[in-house]
């Protein structure tokens, strides 16, 4: 409900954002699509040849693609599992009448604000170093042989680092959701004879269903493109053990200078992300009407 | 709930909560402690926890290295510049969507959101080539533009949710008072939405500060922010832990403060208003 | 000057026609009240005049100039909102002076005019406060100050008193009326409260489903309502409507009698009934009576009659004050 005047002003003021985002999304994407049909190497510019879907065939049948797809899924799945389960635990804990809650809150949320390169290097050196890392010392004190994390279980090491960064995010959102739960609802459940466990299962969990979905979708968007943590710790190795799709595309483009192959990989990544985005957008869209 | 919990319950749950959160926070704590050690102590095994010669040497060295300052100032310029630019573009757009909505507003908002979901690797190649060919590679301007566009959907969304809470009457009163759309935004909407605009600004400074895909791929030295500076410590493994810790502490300290200040608004921004 | 004319003004939201077409003239300097139940389109009509909504058809003339295509800012009107819509971040001074500032008035002149307006409204001690530090009545006055300081062609009031408590409402009612008379500025006032309409208006416009049901002075509407709708809306307590035998006796499908136009007695000729509830107000008594032949009527009796629930009563309506309505709800001439 407004006048033509304000609607015109409205269109005029939305236009810059729409145009910019449209250009930012469409132009590079179309270029990526175009490059993905070329044999195009940065080492040999000017020799581009149209090869149709050759790059896709090559990229999708490359064992590296399958390995990195699996790595991506394992990474995303594990981090999601850790952050959701851990997030629920922390959220429930912080929803209790704990002493010094503001300080605890700050400590729990802090890892989310640490830049990826910092957290990766701190974990890699100060904690997971096979000789001088804190974990190695702990293992030795209990009489175990220290684990060389990035050699023996590199993907797990990366999962730990990434999960450490995203657990606070899940906690923060689930805690916010938990605090919006009507206290009377819980009291009503209590009056109905529900114990703490049944209250959690029948009242709290259903209330958290939506925020959990939101956490899953948003984390997935970000986790699909984990990059810096891999670049500064393992560089995708050893072998392909920690290469995910994002890193593979990067390596293809800027390490092997294969623009065509990297572009095909980029498109594959976009398709994967879109599957997730489809559900997230629908969920948020529904919320917009409420 | 207006019920007193028993002292024992509070004590027990507090111990658990403190233990759990200290564990989660420990890496940051350990990093800060390490930053005050000599390199020898930092590397010592068994590790020294509190009883070592505390020194500011690492900070001193990091501070005097000119490239730290360059990277730090790049971080400030990139994160603040991209955020301010985004706000400038987004405030009018969010005004329009909140107060002069059309049939397509909802679709536009969701479409904007979907652009944020495009994985950067999908467009890495053309952006890299475009930047290389236009001389934007390793330039602050190029990165400001990129980070601005990357965060624009979040900025618009956050502002939209804040603007939605401002009574329409007040803007109409301004219109009756003879204010043009621009004056309405500058004199009435912006001051009223200031808390919301401020938290939008903070969140996006955080996101831009920590952005580590474009900064790592598109800069080498001139425009490189702290993410890249820290990444450079990855090569000579194990040699400069104390200095790495000091540099890292400096790199995350401002963001940690801003983040703590804006944690509530953060939820709203990061979930596009789906959780408040 | 401020003569406002509406010619065939229509408003359609999507599929819904809110105002099918209104013709109306508001004379310069008059106080016109739009009254009607919620959803009757009175606020929409006001917003159309204000320029906060576009007309779907028709013309709006202010002093002879068609403003239907002009934005709100250029119509030279000012408005007092139901929520007051004060700018929370500005002081009272800033709020009142905002319109002048937008018009580019020199600072000294703004200060002078704001202070004059504040003095009229007893707001001088509060000039440097923010709206959040004011009481409801003071906020209301700031909203009015904001409206008068620009010396508009007309004031538009959108249910401005509905957020005040009863006592304050009576006081503000008087203040607004007096202020409008003093300034001589045209005013259009929207309300759903017929008491406000009766007490403040020079002319009342009764709206029903977007149509003008009747226009007239308060007394005209009270004495000569031209429909059941107006008769039922104007006057408090509401007019009693009777059908069946009571109406047939007067040769109409429906008759109406106002509570104050009936006399009650313990016996005699008239409508027999039983008191269901008696509300004793001291000055008068409202008797809600179950009539013998069906229906409940309310009678207003001066003073105390000593009647209470369950007592038999006889009501005798003043024959000159019985309104007759045809099957369509239109008034039938006496």
């Amino acid at each position: 409900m407004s006048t033509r005047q304000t609607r015109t002003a409205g269109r005029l003021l939305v236009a810059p954002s729409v145009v910019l985002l449209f250009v930012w999304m469409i132009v590079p994407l179309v270029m990526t699509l175009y490059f993905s049909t070329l044999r195009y190497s940065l080492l040999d510019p000017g020799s581009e040849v149209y090869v149709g879907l050759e790059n896709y065939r090559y990229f999708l049948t490359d064992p590296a693609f399958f390995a990195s797809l699996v790595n991506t899924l394992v990474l995303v799945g594990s981090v999601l599992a850790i952050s959701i389960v851990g997030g629920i635990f922390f959220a429930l804990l912080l929803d209790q009448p704990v002493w010094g809650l503001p300080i605890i809150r700050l400590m729990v949320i802090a890892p989310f604000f640490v830049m990826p390169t910092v957290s990766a290097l701190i974990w890699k050196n100060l904690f997971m170093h096979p000789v001088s890392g804190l974990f190695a010392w702990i293992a030795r004190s209990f009489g175990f042989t220290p684990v060389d994390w990035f050699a023996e279980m590199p993907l797990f090491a990366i999962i730990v680092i990434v999960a450490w960064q995203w657990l606070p995010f899940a906690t923060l959102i689930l805690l916010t959701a938990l605090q919006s739960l009507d206290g009377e609802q819980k009291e009503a459940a209590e009056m109905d004879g529900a114990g703490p466990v049944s209250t959690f299962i029948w009242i709290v969990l259903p209330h958290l269903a939506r925020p959990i979905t939101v956490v899953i979708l948003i984390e997935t968007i970000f986790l699909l493109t984990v990059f810096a943590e891999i670049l500064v710790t393992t560089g995708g190795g050893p072998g392909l053990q920690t290469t995910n799709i994002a890193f593979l595309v990067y390596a293809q483009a800027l390490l092997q200078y294969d623009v065509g192959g990297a572009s095909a990989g980029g498109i594959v990544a976009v398709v994967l992300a879109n599957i997730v985005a489809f559900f997230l957008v629908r969920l948020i869209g529904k919320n917009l009407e409420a | 709930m207006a019920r007193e919990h028993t002292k024992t319950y509070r004590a027990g749950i507090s111990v658990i909560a403190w233990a759990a959160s200290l564990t989660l926070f420990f890496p940051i704590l350990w990093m800060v402690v390490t930053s005050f050690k000599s390199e020898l102590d930092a590397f010592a095994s068994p590790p020294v926890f509190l009883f070592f010669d505390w020194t500011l040497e690492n900070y001193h060295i990091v501070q005097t290295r000119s490239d730290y300052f360059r990277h730090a100032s790049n971080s400030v310029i990139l994160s603040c510049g991209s955020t301010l630019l985004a706000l400038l573009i987004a405030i009018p757009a969010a005004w329009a969507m909140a107060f002069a909505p059309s049939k397509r507003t909802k679709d536009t908002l969701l479409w904007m959101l979907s652009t944020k979901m495009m994985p950067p690797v999908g467009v890495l190649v053309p952006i890299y080539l475009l930047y290389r060919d236009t001389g934007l590679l390793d330039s602050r301007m190029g990165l400001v533009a990129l980070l601005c566009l990357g965060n624009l959907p979040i900025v618009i969304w956050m502002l939209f949710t804040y603007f939605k809470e401002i009574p329409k009457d007040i803007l109409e009163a301004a219109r009756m008072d003879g204010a043009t759309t621009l004056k309405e935004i500058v004199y009435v909407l912006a001051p009223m939405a200031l808390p919301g605009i401020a938290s939008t600004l903070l969140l996006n400074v955080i996101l831009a500060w920590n952005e580590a895909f474009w900064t790592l791929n598109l800069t080498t030295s001139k425009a490189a922010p702290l993410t890249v500076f820290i990444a450079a410590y990855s090569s000579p493994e194990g040699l400069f832990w104390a200095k790495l810790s000091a540099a890292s502490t400096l790199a995350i300290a401002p963001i940690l403060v801003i983040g703590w200040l804006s944690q509530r608004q953060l939820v709203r921004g990061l979930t596009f208003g789906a959780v408040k | 000057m401020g003569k406002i004319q509406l010619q065939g003004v229509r408003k359609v939201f999507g599929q819904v026609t809110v105002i099918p077409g209104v013709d109306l003239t508001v004379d310069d300097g008059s106080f016109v009240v739009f009254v009607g139940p919620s959803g009757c389109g009175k606020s929409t009509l006001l917003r159309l005049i204000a320029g906060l909504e576009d007309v779907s058809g028709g013309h709006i003339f202010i002093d002879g100039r068609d403003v239907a295509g002009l934005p709100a800012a250029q119509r030279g009107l000012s408005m007092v909102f139901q929520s007051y819509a004060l700018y929370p971040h500005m002081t009272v001074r800033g709020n009142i002076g905002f319109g002048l500032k937008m018009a580019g008035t020199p600072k000294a002149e703004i200060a002078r005019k704001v202070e004059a307006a504040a003095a009229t409204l007893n707001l001088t001690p509060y000039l440097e406060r923010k709206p959040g530090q004011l009481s409801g009545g003071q906020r209301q006055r700031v909203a009015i100050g904001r409206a008068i300081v620009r010396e508009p062609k007309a004031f538009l009031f959108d249910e401005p008193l509905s957020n005040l408590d009863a006592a304050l409402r009576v006081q503000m009612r008087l203040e607004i009326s007096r202020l409008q008379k003093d300034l001589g500025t045209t005013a259009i006032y929207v309300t759903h409260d017929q008491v406000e309409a009766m007490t403040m208006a020079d002319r009342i416009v009764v709206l029903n489903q977007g149509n003008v049901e009747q226009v007239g002075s308060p007394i005209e509407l009270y004495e000569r309502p031209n429909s059941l709708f107006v008769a039922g809306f104007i006057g408090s307590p509401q007019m009693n409507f009777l059908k069946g035998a009571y109406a047939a006796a007067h040769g109409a499908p429906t008759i109406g009698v106002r509570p104050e136009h009936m006399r009650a007695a313990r016996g005699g000729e008239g409508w027999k009934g039983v008191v269901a509830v008696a509300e004793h107000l001291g000055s008068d008594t409202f008797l809600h009576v179950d009539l013998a032949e069906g229906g409940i009527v309310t009678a207003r009796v001066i003073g105390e009659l000593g009647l209470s629930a369950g007592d038999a009563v006889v009501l005798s309506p003043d024959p000159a004050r019985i309104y007759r309505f045809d099957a369509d709800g239109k008034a039938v001439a006496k």
Side-chain angles (χ1 to χ4, degrees):
Chain A
M1 287 197 227
S2 48
T3 60
R4 221 168 301 122
Q5 212 95 19
T6 53
R7 279 196 300 275
T8 311
R11 264 193 289 274
L12 221 66
L13 295 177
V14 174
S17 304
V18 171
V19 170
L20 280 173
L21 283 176
F22 187 77
V23 170
W24 152 241
M25 186 168 89
I26 294 303
V27 173
L29 205 57
V30 169
M31 283 174 76
T32 308
L33 263 175
Y34 170 67
F35 290 152
S36 73
T37 61
L38 300 180
R39 182 182 302 130
Y40 182 177
S41 167
L42 284 181
L43 296 177
D44 188 14
S47 68
E48 295 86 46
V49 190
Y50 177 77
V51 292
L53 296 177
E54 181 62 21
N55 284 319
Y56 289 94
R57 201 186 60 77
Y58 177 80
F59 187 84
L60 293 173
T61 55
D62 184 357
F65 167 70
F66 187 70
S68 62
L69 181 65
V70 170
N71 287 338
T72 307
L73 294 179
V74 170
L75 178 68
V76 173
S78 316
V79 174
L80 278 180
I82 296 172
S83 59
I84 296 289
V85 174
I88 292 177
F89 167 77
F90 271 103
L92 286 174
L93 200 57
L94 300 192
D95 199 32
Q96 303 297 314
V98 171
W99 283 308
L101 194 61
I103 299 169
I104 291 187
R105 264 184 81 117
L106 294 187
M107 291 201 297
V108 170
I109 291 157
F112 184 65
F113 301 124
V114 175
M115 61 173 64
T117 47
V118 166
S119 59
L121 285 179
I122 295 296
W123 276 95
K124 180 189 181 189
N125 293 323
L126 269 51
F127 290 88
M128 293 174 167
H129 191 276
V131 180
S132 306
L134 208 59
F135 290 167
W137 171 74
I138 292 171
R140 273 197 306 275
S141 339
F142 287 98
F144 298 109
T145 319
V147 177
D148 185 353
W149 295 89
F150 288 98
E152 290 168 41
M153 41 181 83
L155 190 58
F156 177 73
I158 291 194
I159 288 170
V160 169
I161 297 173
V162 177
W164 178 70
Q165 290 177 283
W166 284 96
L167 174 60
F169 172 78
T171 305
L172 190 60
I173 287 179
L174 296 179
L175 179 61
T176 310
L178 213 51
Q179 287 171 341
S180 74
L181 176 60
D182 187 3
E184 284 185 2
Q185 240 186 69
K186 277 190 265 184
E187 288 176 341
E190 229 172 293
M191 296 299 292
D192 286 342
V197 177
S198 358
T199 306
F200 175 74
I201 293 176
W202 297 108
I203 308 289
V204 178
L205 263 191
H207 179 72
L208 288 183
R210 237 175 65 92
I212 288 177
T213 321
V214 172
V215 170
I216 291 176
L217 292 172
I218 289 175
E219 283 198 8
T220 307
I221 298 290
F222 283 91
L223 293 175
L224 279 175
T225 57
V226 164
F227 174 75
E229 291 85 343
I230 296 173
L231 179 74
V232 299
T233 54
T234 63
L240 288 168
Q241 282 188 56
T242 57
T243 300
N244 66 355
I245 302 258
F247 196 82
L248 184 67
V249 173
Y250 154 82
Q252 200 91 21
L254 300 186
L255 300 181
Q256 295 174 25
Y257 305 109
D258 176 7
V259 170
S263 298
I267 295 298
V268 172
V270 170
V271 170
L272 286 179
N274 268 311
I275 297 171
V276 182
F278 174 76
F279 290 103
L280 181 54
V281 167
R282 281 183 48 155
L283 187 85
I284 292 175
K286 231 183 259 162
N287 190 54
L288 204 58
E289 308 204 312
Chain B
M1 289 214 280
R3 189 182 320 146
E4 278 300 307
H5 291 270
T6 61
K7 274 256 154 60
T8 11
Y9 176 75
R10 287 198 68 172
I13 205 86
S14 296
V15 168
I16 298 172
W18 274 93
S21 52
L22 270 172
T23 310
L24 209 56
F25 187 67
F26 184 74
I28 297 175
L29 203 61
W30 189 236
M31 172 189 83
V32 175
V33 170
T34 305
S35 72
F36 292 105
K37 294 178 178 175
S38 67
E39 289 295 351
L40 217 60
D41 279 340
F43 211 62
S45 186
V48 283
F49 286 94
L50 288 172
F51 305 105
F52 54 87
D53 290 328
W54 290 67
T55 171
L56 284 172
E57 190 198 342
N58 303 304
Y59 286 95
H60 186 69
I61 294 172
V62 170
Q63 293 279 334
T64 48
R65 281 177 62 174
S66 63
D67 57 344
Y68 170 77
F69 269 114
R70 200 182 63 233
H71 288 97
S73 68
N74 279 338
S75 270
V76 173
I77 291 169
L78 293 184
S79 54
C80 296
S82 65
T83 302
L84 291 177
L85 191 62
L87 277 179
L88 210 65
I89 303 168
I91 289 178
W95 169 86
M97 296 198 204
F99 299 111
S102 70
K103 283 187 213 88
R104 272 164 294 150
T105 295
K106 193 189 148 198
D107 293 329
T108 312
L109 271 166
L110 291 177
W111 169 75
M112 287 180 166
L113 175 72
S114 70
T115 68
K116 181 66 198 164
M117 296 178 189
M118 185 174 58
V121 282
V123 292
L124 170 64
V125 173
I127 295 281
Y128 183 84
L129 295 178
L130 276 174
Y131 270 44
R132 186 197 60 184
D133 297 341
T134 50
L136 285 171
L137 219 51
D138 202 17
S139 79
R140 284 191 289 242
M141 209 175 72
L143 223 51
V144 163
L146 211 58
L147 295 181
C148 164
L149 286 170
N151 284 336
L152 192 58
I154 295 188
V155 177
I156 292 177
W157 262 87
M158 279 187 82
L159 290 176
F160 171 76
T161 62
Y162 286 115
F163 288 180
K164 267 301 220 198
E165 288 171 7
I166 289 176
K168 210 176 161 204
D169 277 4
I170 297 187
L171 297 190
E172 288 181 344
R175 231 167 281 165
M176 291 301 294
D177 266 342
T180 58
T181 299
L182 185 70
K183 284 181 172 167
E184 182 183 318
I185 293 176
V186 172
Y187 288 108
V188 180
L189 178 63
M192 282 184 70
L194 207 56
I197 293 176
S199 35
T200 308
L201 185 127
L202 292 182
L203 172 65
N204 282 278
V205 167
I206 296 173
L207 290 178
W209 184 278
N210 287 344
E211 204 288 325
F213 181 80
W214 295 115
T215 49
L216 286 173
N217 277 313
L218 298 183
T219 66
T220 45
S221 62
K222 218 172 77 238
L226 287 169
T227 45
V228 179
F229 178 74
I230 301 289
Y233 276 92
S234 64
S235 20
E237 204 179 318
L239 282 178
F240 302 110
W241 288 12
K243 275 177 219 58
L244 165 68
S245 298
S248 298
T249 305
L250 287 174
I252 67 167
I255 284 320
L256 220 49
V257 174
I258 295 178
W260 281 340
L261 290 179
S262 60
Q263 35 170 312
R264 278 227 154 258
Q265 286 70 30
L266 208 83
V267 174
R268 187 175 183 160
L270 287 169
T271 61
F272 299 96
V275 175
K276 272 186 205 166
Chain C
M1 282 297 286
K3 180 179 178 177
I4 299 173
Q5 286 165 288
L6 308 186
Q7 247 175 39
V9 168
R10 279 193 320 119
K11 181 63 186 176
V12 180
F13 287 122
Q15 304 290 320
V16 187
T17 303
V18 183
I19 294 173
V22 165
D23 296 290
L24 186 69
T25 301
V26 176
D27 289 326
D28 182 33
S30 65
F31 196 114
V32 171
V33 174
F34 292 177
V35 70
S38 61
C40 70
K42 56 191 190 296
S43 277
T44 305
L45 194 57
L46 190 75
R47 290 169 61 83
L48 289 173
I49 297 170
L52 295 172
E53 304 280 354
D54 284 326
V55 294
S56 306
H59 302 280
I60 298 171
F61 296 97
I62 299 179
D63 290 338
R65 178 165 171 237
D66 189 354
V67 298
L70 286 183
Q74 292 169 28
R75 295 192 184 184
L77 306 173
S78 63
M79 183 151 165
V80 176
F81 290 81
Q82 182 172 11
S83 63
Y84 315 146
L86 301 181
Y87 312 120
H89 57 290
M90 296 181 199
T91 59
V92 170
R93 181 187 292 280
N95 265 283
I96 298 179
F98 187 72
L100 296 173
K101 185 171 152 190
M102 289 299 103
T105 314
K107 275 209 177 105
E109 197 182 334
I110 295 180
R112 192 172 52 73
K113 287 188 169 171
V114 168
E115 275 152 30
T120 334
L121 293 160
N122 296 325
L123 285 170
T124 309
Y126 309 109
L127 271 177
E128 308 310 324
R129 293 212 195 158
K130 296 254 174 89
Q133 300 162 290
L134 302 177
S135 69
Q138 289 164 341
R139 282 182 216 183
Q140 172 70 74
R141 269 196 268 271
V142 176
I144 294 171
R146 194 168 63 180
I148 62 174
V149 77
R150 285 174 48 224
E151 295 161 18
K153 295 197 177 102
F155 299 131
L156 309 178
F157 294 93
D158 189 6
E159 308 215 17
L161 304 183
S162 55
N163 287 337
L164 297 176
D165 63 49
L168 211 49
R169 208 178 299 170
V170 173
Q171 184 196 335
M172 287 309 298
R173 214 159 72 192
L174 286 171
E175 275 191 47
I176 292 177
S177 295
R178 213 192 54 213
L179 196 67
Q180 191 268 342
K181 291 283 169 293
D182 289 350
L183 296 169
T185 309
T186 312
I188 300 179
Y189 188 106
V190 163
T191 182
H192 62 268
D193 179 352
Q194 62 92 24
V195 177
E196 275 176 31
M198 293 297 283
T199 51
M200 300 174 85
D202 296 325
R203 283 159 72 76
I204 296 178
V205 177
V206 183
L207 287 160
N208 183 21
Q209 295 178 338
N211 288 306
V212 174
E213 195 79 24
Q214 190 173 357
V215 182
S217 72
I219 293 306
E220 272 167 27
L221 295 193
Y222 177 82
E223 293 188 333
R224 291 186 293 281
N226 62 11
S227 67
L228 264 176
F229 182 82
V230 176
F233 201 82
I234 301 291
S236 172
Q238 223 192 342
M239 184 186 281
N240 297 298
F241 295 114
L242 294 143
K243 291 181 190 293
Y246 298 112
H250 291 87
T254 309
I255 57 166
V257 188
R258 293 195 187 278
E260 54 270 39
H261 299 151
M262 280 189 278
R263 286 192 306 141
R266 291 180 182 269
E269 280 300 300
W271 299 342
K272 296 190 169 55
V274 176
V275 176
V277 178
E279 295 174 322
H280 304 277
L281 302 180
S283 58
D284 28 31
T285 308
F286 293 132
L287 297 176
H288 302 277
V289 178
D290 277 328
L291 290 180
E293 285 167 64
I296 296 185
V297 295
T298 304
R300 179 178 173 184
V301 182
I302 306 293
E304 279 294 324
L305 213 62
L307 284 167
S308 53
D311 293 349
V313 69
V314 176
L315 300 174
S316 44
D318 176 354
R321 304 276 201 151
I322 293 178
Y323 299 91
R324 299 184 302 151
F325 300 95
D326 64 18
D328 297 329
K330 294 270 169 270
V332 180
K334 288 181 184 145

